[in-house]
Amino acid sequence: MKRKWLMLASSLMLAGTALAVDSVVRLGGGAGAPGTQNNIISMSLDNVDPVKSMQVQIADLPNCLRPDSVWLTERCRDFNVYYNDVDGNLNIIVISGNQYLAPGSGEVLRISYTVAEDTDTLTQVALHLSKAIVVGQNYVSLPVQIVDNQFTLTGATAVDQRVGMPVAFTLEQNFPNPFNPATQIPFSLQKEGWVRLAVFNSLGQRIRTLVEGHRQPGVYRAMWDGCDDFGRPVAAGLYLYRLDAGSQSLTRHMLYVK
């Protein structure tokens, strides 16, 4: 009988191990043009157990993104966040003194990146979670799965680079238009200088800066993903986009549908 109970207990322990559910740390995607700031990606956590703290390390390959800020969402309002960027690896610690993150699913933090100015081709940057540690009750590490993503660098494409130097300051119609979920905005600069391309709502309020900084003459393409500067999706409707370069300015309309 004793042997029978031991076998049953062993079976239950094995079953408990097999049924254990991992926490899942997910990186969101993003996009931005060379030299632009406030390009936001998000990180979410799916957890079935209360969470005391989390430590992650994010590598961007190739290393052309510089993290400017990391902040917590409302879901982690009782936590603190600490971060640093060492040798192209962004290290983040999320921790609370006496609170636990309740079981659930959703966004836990956001990261704002600046794209290096010398990155001028359309490419994909791999956002890789090289480390993810999730700590639960009694300081026990919980099993973790990770989901990586990509960041699209928008700028001059290989086709654009073969085109001759622009002879005019132009702002083209976005395509596709109407659009969902993203659209591209081509523009040309015939002179070197400071440039800003921004999106405005129907009230004239600036909601997203796509390009801001010094640019050489050339043909460019920026992409808008339908989110504001804080990574929040905007409502469907009519929007303006304006290109400013020195004393020159051009404006066009686009339609976002859902």
Side-chain angles (χ1 to χ4, degrees), residues 49 63 73 89 114 140 144 153 159 201 233 258:
D49 297 300
N63 180 24
T73 65
N89 293 300
T114 290
V140 174
V144 180
L153 296 178
V159 173
N201 62 20
K258 289 188 178 180

Side-chain angles (χ1 to χ4, degrees), residues 26-185:
R26 304 175 188 272
L27 281 179
T36 59
Q37 301 174 335
N38 300 319
N39 299 289
I40 298 171
I41 71 165
S42 66
M43 179 184 295
S44 64
L45 174 66
D46 304 341
N47 57 299
V48 296
D49 297 300
V51 169
K52 180 72 172 179
S53 65
M54 179 173 68
Q55 180 181 357
V56 296
Q57 185 179 77
I58 305 173
D60 56 292
L61 307 169
N63 180 24
C64 53
L65 303 178
R66 186 185 74 241
D68 301 311
S69 181
V70 178
W71 67 99
L72 300 173
T73 65
E74 179 64 19
R75 189 179 177 215
C76 292
R77 61 183 179 274
D78 297 320
F79 283 66
N80 296 309
V81 62
Y82 307 93
Y83 66 94
N84 63 14
D85 185 43
V86 180
D87 297 328
N89 293 300
L90 174 60
N91 302 286
I92 303 173
I93 296 177
V94 178
I95 191 169
S96 174
N98 54 12
Q99 300 292 325
Y100 285 90
L101 181 66
S105 176
E107 190 179 30
V108 291
L109 62 84
R110 290 177 178 173
I111 306 164
S112 175
Y113 280 109
T114 290
V115 183
E117 283 197 17
D118 57 356
T119 308
D120 58 1
T121 58
L122 188 65
T123 187
Q124 296 285 339
V125 177
L127 295 172
H128 174 57
L129 274 164
S130 50
K131 176 191 294 184
I133 301 173
V134 178
V135 178
Q137 294 174 319
N138 300 319
Y139 301 97
V140 174
S141 294
L142 303 174
V144 180
Q145 294 182 20
I146 60 174
V147 178
D148 295 330
N149 215 311
Q150 291 183 324
F151 188 96
T152 302
L153 296 178
T154 62
T157 66
V159 173
D160 295 330
Q161 292 172 349
R162 291 195 296 267
V163 177
M165 196 63 64
V167 295
F169 172 72
T170 62
L171 178 63
E172 305 296 337
Q173 186 63 51
N174 66 296
F175 64 91
N177 186 48
F179 72 95
N180 183 341
T183 189
Q184 295 191 56
I185 302 174

